[in-house]
Amino acid sequence: MNILMVAPEQIPVPGNGSVEISMLAIAKQLAVNHRVTLISRKARNLPRVSRMGNLTIVRVSSGSSSKYIASVLHYLKGRRYDLIQVDNRPHYMAKIKAAFPHTPVTLFLHSLTFVKPTTKVNESLSRADLIIANSDSLKANLAARFPRHAGKLRKVHLGVDTARFSPASGAGHSGTFRVLFAGRVIPRKGVPVLIRAISRVRKEYGPVSLTVVGGGKPGYLRELKRLARAKGVPVIFTGKVPHRSIHRKFQQADLFACPSQEHEAFGLVNVEAMASGLPVVASNIGGIGEIVKHGSNGYLVDAYRNSEEHAKWILKLARDRELTVRMSRQARKDAVEKFGWKQTAKKLMGIYRQFGS
């Protein structure tokens, strides 16, 4: 099969965004048996074309949405594909379908961000031959927002590089219980809730540290640092860490915290943490409960706006190292068995083959 994948315009591939990380990982797996072209935005430090076996990454001019899609369509002129997948941009998908009316064109959605229930989005979705959602939660939300397109919806979970994201080797942990957060440092990710939770855990347990990996606006980061000082919580803010080396941060932790305060379609960081052998304490919101199994590989926090509820489960693991070790092993097992990128690509191709037959 000759497959085309079209990435969003904001971040180049390879890149640190979860959409771009997922697309490249899936493309590499598909390229084992198929010819794959992935179109992304141009970047100063990357060549216009990269080739890796059956995978070709083509980078075109961007700068704005309209310029990017015009660049994509210009590149595609005169070319032919057996299937086209557009990620997270319904309007790009509709324009590409108009240019390729006889080619199956699918939309792979990673969040609700670009699918507001408007007439324009509804019209764009009507052009898709299939719509892939990365979780049952996202699929259900899309079906509720756009009932006339519910029949086109399919679910494919994302994955993790289980070779790179793996448990740390070597001796046991130090006396300090190390909690990790990784993601965009923005209000919806709930870092203030986590800082307050760690403050409570420290009062009852003792030495607990927090590392926050990810970039944020300077003003918001200053607010968080002030809160951490006021609550007596030692926090290391690392800033952005390239995805190619972020696995090392997971290997330096005992527990991963995901205190999201708004819908998470999937939550890629949670499977990365699990593959690294970390139990996860996460808000029970969106698709997170499809990954984190309460009492098995981590704990789900129902009252996720309440820092005491997060603190309760973090404290339980800090106090019981045997439980932490047991959950760590289960988390790794679940990641390897259910969430490898090979499984993601296999499920996706199964849907595409069934659709094409």
Side-chain angles (χ1 to χ4, degrees), residues 4 30 46 63 72 86 88 92 104 114 129 132 159 161 163 177-178 182 210 224 236 260 297:
L4 172 70
L30 294 179
L46 293 167
V72 170
V86 180
N88 235 33
Y92 295 175
F114 294 92
D129 292 298
I132 311 294
D161 180 344
F177 192 73
R178 303 163 300 175
L210 173 61
L224 294 176
I236 296 169
S260 293
N297 56 30

Side-chain angles (χ1 to χ4, degrees), residues 124-151:
S124 290
L125 294 182
S126 69
R127 305 301 298 267
D129 292 298
L130 275 182
I131 301 167
I132 311 294
N134 64 13
S135 67
D136 286 316
S137 173
L138 181 56
K139 184 182 170 191
N141 269 273
L142 290 166
R145 284 188 182 189
F146 307 101
R148 64 182 262 223
H149 304 309

Side-chain angles (χ1 to χ4, degrees), residues 49-61:
V49 178
S50 302
R51 289 190 174 85
M52 294 172 257
N54 283 335
L55 170 61
T56 304
I57 303 175
V58 177
R59 300 179 181 92
V60 301
S61 298

Side-chain angles (χ1 to χ4, degrees), residues 118-193:
T118 64
T119 303
K120 191 180 177 188
V121 171
N122 211 10
E123 284 171 1
S124 290
L125 294 182
S126 69
R127 305 301 298 267
D129 292 298
L130 275 182
I131 301 167
I132 311 294
N134 64 13
S135 67
D136 286 316
S137 173
L138 181 56
K139 184 182 170 191
N141 269 273
L142 290 166
R145 284 188 182 189
F146 307 101
R148 64 182 262 223
H149 304 309
K152 296 179 183 180
L153 290 166
R154 305 288 186 276
K155 181 263 293 180
V156 176
H157 277 147
L158 301 179
V160 60
D161 180 344
T162 55
R164 186 159 70 87
F165 289 89
S166 59
S169 57
H173 301 306
S174 64
T176 301
F177 192 73
R178 303 163 300 175
V179 178
L180 174 70
F181 167 90
R184 288 178 298 153
V185 186
I186 54 176
R188 60 168 294 175
K189 296 295 183 180
V191 176
V193 174

